[in-house]
């Protein structure tokens, strides 16, 4: 089962044996960093439970992938699969996707209504709440009520990065499965097979990917590599001033704006997790970008930028311990 999902052997083993024994939990939280397969695993779980050609208690094959149910789930048009996410909320509220910052109680009320509704055409209703840490307090309380009275033939899966971001009262009612970062060899083999790049490039990309397939895929786009790795280096290494000046000189020569843009993209990603720590760096990056667009000398801009970012490592190191 779950053969189409990269890595996560331990989780696959746990879920497969639960599914075969018919003893899976009514609610889970899939915990772990972005890009390690949490949502894919949840959707595959929904496929297996509803696949019409396989009896999931008898077979090790998992979902067939070709029956109507599997196809509908893959396209997210199965009436018994409910993705409770920002896209759904935007649809319900007729708003832009970009405006969705928290999962609101109205969205959870929609979920409650669907939970109470009879199953439509499948065998199991599956609700996937993603990202669960973005539920506001009212939304979390609403979910708690649903979890207190587990509905029949329903599996609820929360997707989240950190355990601390979800109220304990909720976590205590869920089975928690921790998704580990993917291995470098897993990622590099996947890249060779799926992105038509050679083994060496795949290995280099995997090393920079922090165990996330999502990051690895983005890095394959060559332009992003330089800025991305620079942001990672600044986050994780101490630099001598002479080294910073050298990096600045090289970057000014090879494409300052592209590099700053890629760093902004990465900074924004970290900002979602560590807003307070990353905000000053993001400000400096945006100022630098504006200056570069005004044709201010690239090396001067980058010198100032990298000095501003010299403290980044301390910020991140103190955060992680
Ligand atoms: Zn199927």
């Amino acid at each position: 089962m779950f053969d189409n999902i990269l890595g996560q052997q331990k989780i696959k083993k746990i879920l497969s044996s639960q599914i075969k024994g018919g003893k899976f939990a009514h609610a889970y939280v899939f915990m772990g960093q972005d890009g390690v397969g949490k949502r894919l695993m949840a959707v595959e779980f929904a496929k297996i439970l509803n696949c019409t050609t396989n009896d999931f208690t008898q077979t090790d094959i998992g979902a067939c992938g070709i029956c109507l149910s599997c196809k509908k789930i893959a396209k997210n048009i199965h009436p018994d699969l409910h993705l409770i996410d920002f896209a759904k909320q935007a649809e319900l509220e007729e708003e832009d996707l970009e405006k969705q910052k928290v999962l609101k109680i109205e969205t959870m009320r929609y979920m409650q209504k669907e939970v109470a509704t009879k199953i439509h055409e499948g065998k199991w209703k599956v609700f996937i709440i993603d990202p669960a840490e973005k539920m506001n307090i009212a939304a979390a309380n609403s979910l708690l009520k649903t979890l207190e009275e587990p509905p029949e033939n329903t599996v609820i899966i929360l997707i989240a990065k950190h355990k601390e971001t979800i109220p304990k009262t909720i976590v205590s009612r869920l089975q928690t499965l921790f998704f580990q970062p993917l291995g470098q060899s897993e990622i590099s083999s996947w890249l060779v097979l799926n992105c038509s790049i050679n083994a060496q490039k795949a290995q280099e990309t995997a090393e920079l990917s922090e165990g996330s397939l999502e990051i690895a895929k983005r890095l394959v786009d060559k332009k992003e590599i330089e800025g991305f790795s620079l942001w990672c280096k600044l986050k994780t290494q101490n630099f001598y001033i002479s080294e910073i000046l050298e990096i600045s000189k090289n970057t000014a020569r090879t494409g300052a704006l592209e590099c700053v843009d890629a760093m902004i993209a990465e900074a924004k990603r970290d900002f979602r997790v560590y807003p307070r720590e990353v905000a000053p760096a993001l400000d400096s990056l945006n100022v630098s970008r504006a200056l570069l667009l005004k044709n201010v000398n690239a090396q001067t801009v980058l010198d100032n930028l990298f000095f501003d970012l010299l403290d980044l490592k301390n910020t991140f190191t103190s955060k992680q311990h």
Side-chain angles (χ1 to χ4, degrees):
M1 287 185 197
F2 303 103
D3 291 342
N4 50 345
I5 295 171
L6 188 61
Q8 308 301 352
Q9 298 309 332
K10 201 172 144 199
I11 306 242
K12 288 177 183 173
K13 215 170 148 192
I14 294 171
L15 284 177
S16 300
S17 105
Q18 288 184 349
I19 291 169
K20 274 199 281 180
K23 285 188 179 152
F24 39 90
H26 71 273
Y28 292 87
V29 54
F30 288 180
M31 197 81 73
Q33 67 178 65
D34 279 342
V36 293
K38 305 188 296 295
R39 183 154 167 151
L40 277 179
M41 193 82 81
V43 171
E44 190 64 21
F45 194 176
K47 268 192 206 163
I48 295 170
L49 296 187
N50 284 297
C51 179
T52 52
T53 58
N54 286 324
D55 177 355
F56 60 77
T57 60
Q58 298 294 318
T59 171
D60 208 22
I61 300 165
C64 74
I66 50 171
C67 71
L68 191 58
S69 171
C70 283
K71 281 184 176 166
K72 280 185 171 182
I73 288 176
K75 286 186 191 161
N76 188 22
I77 53 168
H78 195 295
D80 295 309
L81 171 69
H82 301 275
L83 298 175
I84 307 296
D85 56 10
F86 286 152
K88 185 74 203 177
Q89 185 164 277
E91 182 194 319
L92 291 170
E93 306 217 334
E94 296 180 3
E95 277 185 355
D96 288 343
L97 180 58
E98 293 72 35
K99 282 192 182 159
Q100 313 307 315
K101 306 288 180 213
V102 291
L103 286 172
K104 300 177 197 160
I105 185 155
E106 291 78 10
T107 308
M108 304 315 284
R109 285 209 186 107
Y110 159 83
M111 174 177 157
Q112 262 180 340
K113 208 177 83 204
E114 286 297 329
V115 165
T117 308
K118 261 193 169 177
I119 210 153
H120 294 281
E121 60 180 60
K123 296 181 251 184
W124 287 81
K125 276 193 269 186
V126 179
F127 293 84
I128 300 172
I129 305 175
D130 180 20
E133 62 257 53
K134 294 293 180 191
M135 286 185 291
N136 65 19
I137 292 177
N141 283 335
S142 166
L143 174 66
L144 188 58
K145 275 192 206 122
T146 308
L147 293 171
E148 277 166 354
E149 293 162 23
E152 264 184 27
N153 284 23
T154 299
V155 176
I156 297 171
I157 302 171
L158 277 64
I159 308 279
K161 278 193 208 134
H162 306 283
K163 202 166 185 168
E164 312 84 65
T165 51
I166 301 178
K168 281 197 182 101
T169 43
I170 289 186
V171 174
S172 66
R173 285 182 166 79
L174 307 169
Q175 181 174 359
T176 304
L177 295 178
F178 290 101
F179 284 60
Q180 300 299 323
L182 297 165
Q184 285 184 7
S185 60
E186 284 169 342
I187 291 181
S188 64
S189 317
W190 190 94
L191 291 174
V192 169
L193 278 175
N194 294 280
C195 298
S196 51
I197 57 174
N198 66 37
Q200 194 194 337
K201 169 100 188 295
Q203 182 55 35
E204 286 166 11
T205 310
E207 282 168 18
L208 290 172
S209 69
E210 300 177 14
S212 162
L213 186 60
E214 200 179 293
I215 295 177
K217 281 193 238 174
R218 291 210 321 260
L219 285 173
V220 171
D221 180 3
K222 214 176 173 185
K223 271 190 207 159
E224 281 197 19
I225 284 192
E226 200 174 14
F228 173 82
S229 63
L230 202 47
W231 175 257
C232 288
K233 273 186 194 160
L234 288 163
K235 247 166 63 174
T236 52
Q237 292 175 23
N238 286 318
F239 286 94
Y240 291 111
I241 289 177
S242 56
E243 287 174 311
I244 280 289
L245 290 172
E246 187 62 27
I247 295 172
S248 172
K249 199 168 95 186
N250 290 337
T251 313
R253 218 175 33 221
T254 55
L257 190 60
E258 273 178 6
C259 172
V260 169
D261 276 345
M263 286 175 79
I264 288 176
E266 284 319 305
K268 282 185 175 164
R269 202 172 62 85
D270 284 331
F271 180 80
R272 293 205 288 270
V273 188
Y274 307 111
R276 208 152 32 93
E277 290 75 10
V278 176
L282 197 51
D283 283 346
S284 302
L285 283 160
N286 283 323
V287 169
S288 305
R289 185 174 199 279
L291 292 172
L292 289 171
L293 288 173
K294 283 186 194 160
N295 286 327
V296 176
N297 178 281
Q299 192 170 345
T300 313
V301 173
L302 293 176
D303 283 351
N304 287 324
L305 171 67
F306 293 146
F307 282 122
D308 277 355
L309 299 184
L310 267 180
D311 207 32
L312 204 59
K313 181 185 176 253
N314 296 335
T315 312
F316 272 88
T317 315
S318 65
K319 192 69 209 164
Q320 283 160 4
H321 298 288

